[in-house]
Amino acid sequence: MPTDTSPGPLRVLVFGGALRADSANARLAALVARLISDTGAAVDLASMRDFDMPLYDGDMEAAVGLPPGAHVLRDRLEQSDAFVIASPEYNASVPGVLKNAIDWVSRVRPQPFKTKHAMLVSASPSLVGGNRGLWALRVPLEHLGTRVYPDMFSVADSYRAFAEDGRLADPGLQQRLTETVAGFLGLVEADVRYVCLERRWYEFLGDRTDAAITQRAEV
């Protein structure tokens, strides 16, 4: 039913996947947060230290429930329309602290990663810019029902990639990141604002969102 009430700005949680405060991915997260804010969206910029939690332990969960850090991450996810992770690559995969946080929060019901839009970015001294880690990070997120944006963004040679003002030193790379962020936000806005669109996320031809196999990790 049409109303005159404005839906308000998009809300996006942005955080780096490393604990080190001066990591290249913390700088990349801050840059992405600035680009998102420039569009008028509301940004919640966080770090992994905001979500401190022990290693996942089923016995601990059974005895005392989820740790406070997992509840904090859950709450900030639920308050956002989408999230962005700037994740380093550790041995061609996901940082343990980030995977551990995903594992803890996935135990919440209702599960907060389901149908949430996400964009993955990375920065690394390597020539591939941490891209291999992002491919590994997609696996648990997509398994949990997250709609991971297809265009991942990676910054190589990260020691020299950032200018003093926090932007990328290469103007072409800065422009590509700006366009990638804009494309991601456009997709999020279409899903969040245009209620006439029916939400579907098919993996295979003929798949149905109400099929049991698609609900195994999303409920």
Side-chain angles (χ1 to χ4, degrees):
M1 184 174 182
T3 69
D4 295 328
T5 303
S6 170
L10 291 175
R11 300 158 300 171
V12 185
L13 171 65
V14 182
F15 62 97
L19 289 172
R20 188 166 64 89
D22 194 35
S23 76
N25 285 279
R27 299 180 71 180
L28 183 57
L31 175 56
V32 170
R34 187 198 308 181
L35 293 174
I36 293 172
S37 181
D38 286 345
T39 70
V43 180
D44 178 10
L45 179 59
S47 74
M48 286 305 300
R49 292 191 182 277
D50 297 329
F51 313 128
D52 183 44
M53 58 192 86
L55 292 175
Y56 177 74
D57 181 342
D59 291 337
M60 177 185 295
E61 180 188 8
V64 299
L66 272 66
H71 286 290
V72 172
L73 178 53
R74 182 275 312 272
D75 291 345
R76 290 168 81 166
L77 282 169
E78 290 185 342
Q79 292 162 10
S80 300
D81 297 309
F83 64 94
V84 179
I85 302 177
S87 177
E89 175 187 306
Y90 288 0
N91 297 315
S93 190
V94 185
V97 65
L98 177 56
K99 178 59 166 60
N100 183 62
I102 293 171
D103 290 343
W104 267 116
V105 176
S106 72
R107 302 296 295 170
V108 177
R109 295 295 181 270
Q111 196 267 98
F113 291 106
K114 180 185 177 183
T115 70
K116 194 75 71 174
H117 286 277
M119 187 173 88
L120 305 181
V121 299
S122 65
S124 171
S126 75
L127 293 178
V128 294
N131 187 260
R132 294 171 300 188
L134 297 186
W135 282 108
L137 180 55
R138 293 185 72 102
V139 174
L141 291 176
E142 291 183 330
H143 174 76
L144 292 169
T146 303
R147 298 172 175 180
V148 181
Y149 191 58
D151 294 339
M152 301 184 296
F153 183 88
S154 296
V155 178
D157 195 15
S158 59
Y159 292 137
R160 297 184 293 180
F162 293 90
E164 290 186 3
D165 64 357
R167 293 166 62 88
L168 296 175
D170 182 334
L173 200 59
Q174 175 68 33
Q175 180 62 29
R176 186 160 69 85
L177 177 58
T178 302
E179 292 172 353
T180 301
V181 169
F184 171 65
L185 294 179
L187 180 63
V188 175
E189 184 174 26
D191 187 49
V192 172
R193 302 286 185 245
Y194 304 144
V195 296
C196 59
L197 297 178
E198 186 176 12
R199 295 186 175 187
R200 296 297 185 194
W201 196 253
Y202 298 114
E203 293 182 5
F204 307 104
L205 185 63
D207 200 11
R208 307 190 318 277
T209 55
D210 60 348
I213 189 68
T214 66
Q215 295 180 341
R216 66 189 185 282
E218 298 180 14
V219 294

